[in-house]
Each structure stands twice: as structure tokens, then as C-alpha cells.
Amino acid sequence: MDFESFFRSELDGLRREGRYRVFADLERQVGRFPTATYHGESGPRDVTVWCSNDYLGMGQHPKVLAAMHQALDGSGAGAGGTRNIGGTNHYHVLLERELADLHGKEAALIFNSGYMANWAALSTLAARIPGCIVLTDALNHASMIEGIRHSRVEKHIFAHNDPADLRRKLAALDPSRPKLIAFESVYSMDGDIAPIAEFCDIAEEFGAMTYCDEVHAVGLYGPRGGGVSEREGLTDRLTLIQGTLAKAYGVIGGYVAGSAALCDFIRSFASGFIFSSSLPPAVAAGAIAAIAHLKESPAERERQQDRVQALRRKLDAAGIPHLENPSHIVPVMVGEAKACKAISDELLARFDIYVQPINYPTVPRGTERLRITPSPFHSDADIDALVAALGAIWARDGLKRAA
Ligand SMILES: *Cc1c(COP(=O)(O)O)cnc(C)c1O
């Protein structure tokens, strides 16, 4: 086989569809977020970033940076091993305590990413609980899908955020078999929020475990940033809460929180936990500082919500179509891959605005979009510039307006 020409022709296929991924080469700068230096073909220039998942700018927070500097200078660069063999640093232990406290759970377990946390926890639980059946929301994240697939257990996909469909599917299954229900709280692409209480009611009725990915909610919702489950008083009813340290907490890493036995079980049986070297101590220290700060300080969350509302109002006034939702995610709908990429390219080239186009397979075909994430640091002037740029493109290209 001519491997090289195979690779190239597959990539050409992506390009023809307008969904070949081009990474924006960005140099983030402490103190200037959401401004970053974009290294493009015509040299470096400043752009305003509108699609960062560093939702609250914690990636540059002085407390986070100070904690990381201190741990780096004190404990060195890497952890030095897997958790089991020399790689458990005191910062890891403190971080797991901090996370358990955040979610009001007995224990927590950290992973090198949120992706790995989902993949390892779901595949381990599903595969190791004898006869387990997984019920999974139709729009669950790739990391959950891959973890469930790897377990090779029987699975049923229920309609997105639809308790009635979940109930129907559960009712049709053998009552004696153990079941796990997997869903997210805030869905990252549409920004809608799961009916967690109803899912918990159903789970209790059928004796199922609940597994909730709060990646896009931790740090952002609840009085201490414990996520939607904290805001709605549901932490006790979820068997397992999964989260990331890389989005609102601004660092890197993922975790699960739950009972002591549950976390110990995953710790003891999950390959993706056992056989991978642990996070650098400085990363754990930075995450602790970010979590601790956001437990005490609602200011960032409040300012973010204020910026989200301001952007939505201005998009509405300009007739730019965006998905209504109860979260901080503002999806501006385009509906076609090439157009979506072209708008993103033009925003960057002409307006110094960076919003990555979101195309298939991240979202279904026909729902291609610009996923905009306002932060506490986006000014009124930033919002005006974004809406004016979108307005100019929408007017020139005769794009569909909101009603
Ligand atoms: C980003 C994301 C993850 C993975 O988290 P990382 O820490 O980035 O690996 C998991 N679930 C959802 C819903 C996500 O959006």
C-alpha cells in the first residue's frame, strides 16, 4: 500500500468538506487575556480570543501562578512516576482532598485529563460490574463514548436530555442487571443543561448508578463552583461526578469524585489511571489554588454571566442567530461547514477576532457554528467589536437572520 498517498487523500477529503482542522498559533499573555498574539502567515499580531475554555481566566490568575511557581521551584518539574511507583506527590493528595470537599464526596481521584478520567472510569466501571448495562445520553462527549465502547458492555443511547426516553429504555431492561446512566450537566456545544433531578429520580426508581460529567460546569455554577449539581442540591444523589481542571480552573487534568469505595475501586482497576505517570506537582498546586479561590469568590462567575447576557442582548439587537440556553455558552449558528470556516477565517483576517469554527463530527452536520465563550475579561468594547464584525459579514453575505 502507498501509505503516504492514502494519508494525503483522506486529508484532501476533509479539506473538500471544509472541515480540515487548522490550529490557530496563539501566544497567550498573562495580564492581557482575552488578547493573545496570533502567529499567522503575515507575522505576529494581537487578536481577541472568543472561544477559550479558560472560562474565567484562571489560567493567568496571580494566585494560581504563584502556587505553580512555588511548587515548581520546591518540588521540580515532573512527578517522577505513576501514582503507585514514586509519583504520588503531596500536592496530588491535597488536590484530591480539595476536590472531594468541592463536591461534598468522600473521595476524589485525579487523572491526567478529563478525557482520560471519563475513558478510564466509564470503561472500568462498565466492564468490571458483572452484567452492567450502560444508558448513555445521545450527545455525550467523545471521551464518554470511547470509554463505554471500550468496556464492550451492552449500551442503550437515550434521547438527549429526555427523562421519558431514559425511563422507557430502563423499563424494558432486565430488572436484575446493574445499570449505569451517563450524562453531562452542561452540554458544551448547545449549552443546554440536563434535567439532573429527574435523571436521579429515575435512577433511584431502577436502582441505577448515575455518572455526571460536569466538565463545563465546575468552577462556574453553584455557590462554591461545585457545578450544576451543587447549585441544584443534587451532589448527594449522583453516584459519581466527573470534572476537568483544564477549563474553568485554567490548568490541566481531570478527576472523578464519589464514595471512598468507588474511587478506590477505580484507582485499583483502571488501566488509564494506573499505568500513566502522574501530573506535575506544580499543575496540582495550581489547580488547588484555582479551586480554592473559586470556592470563596463568586465575582468571576457573576461577571462572566453578566458578559454572557451583554453579548446575547447585542447579538439579538443585530439579528445574529444564536441558540438560546441557560448557560455561559453562546453558539452562533451557521449551519454549513465551509461557510462556518470562511466566517471564522474572515473574523481573524479582517477583524483580529478569533473564534474557531465548530464542524462535524464535533456537532451534527447542518448545525455548524461559532461557539462563543464570553469571559469576565471581555469588555463592552470587545463585545461591540465582535457583534459589529458578525453584523458586517451577515449583511454582506445575506446570511440568515434571527427572527
Ligand atoms: C473537554 C471535555 C472533556 C475532556 O476534558 P479534558 O480535561 O479537556 O481532557 C470531557 N467531557 C467534556 C464534556 C468536555 O467538553
Side-chain angles (χ1 to χ4, degrees), residues 53 113-116 118 141 143-144 184 186 188 213 215-216 242-247 252-254:
N53 279 343
S113 70
Y115 187 105
M116 190 48 84
N118 271 335
H141 189 257
S143 56
M144 301 169 86
E184 303 178 22
V186 176
S188 72
D213 173 323
V215 160
H216 293 277
Q242 182 270 355
T244 185
L245 306 170
K247 291 171 186 174
I252 190 76

Side-chain angles (χ1 to χ4, degrees), residues 20 23 32 50 59 69 78 107 117 135-136 149 214 221 236 257 260-261 267 281 296 317 355 362-363 386-387 395:
Y20 176 74
F23 296 161
R32 297 190 67 212
W50 272 104
H69 281 296
L135 292 108
T136 176
R149 178 180 296 160
E214 288 244 52
Y221 297 92
D236 285 351
R267 184 186 76 91
E296 307 275 299
V355 196
T362 309
V363 296
L386 172 65
V387 175

Side-chain angles (χ1 to χ4, degrees), residues 9 96 130 149 280 326 361 383 399:
S9 82
E96 285 172 343
R149 178 180 296 160
I383 294 175
L399 295 171

Side-chain angles (χ1 to χ4, degrees), residues 17 20 54 135 137 164 169 182 193 297 300 337 360 367 369 382:
E17 283 188 56
Y20 176 74
D54 185 1
L135 292 108
D137 186 284
K169 296 223 152 69
I193 296 181
S297 169
E300 291 82 3
Y360 177 83
T367 72
R369 67 196 65 185
D382 291 331

Side-chain angles (χ1 to χ4, degrees), residues 50 55-56 220-221 298-314 326-330 373-381 383:
W50 272 104
Y55 288 128
L56 301 178
L220 303 176
Y221 297 92
E300 291 82 3
R301 290 187 275 282
E302 286 165 6
R303 175 76 180 159
Q304 180 203 32
Q305 290 294 338
D306 170 80
R307 301 289 75 197
V308 169
Q309 298 319 323
L311 174 63
R312 287 208 176 110
R313 275 196 305 275
K314 287 179 177 168
S327 77
H328 58 283
I329 293 160
V330 184
T373 52
S375 77
F377 295 93
H378 286 93
S379 66
D380 286 333
I383 294 175

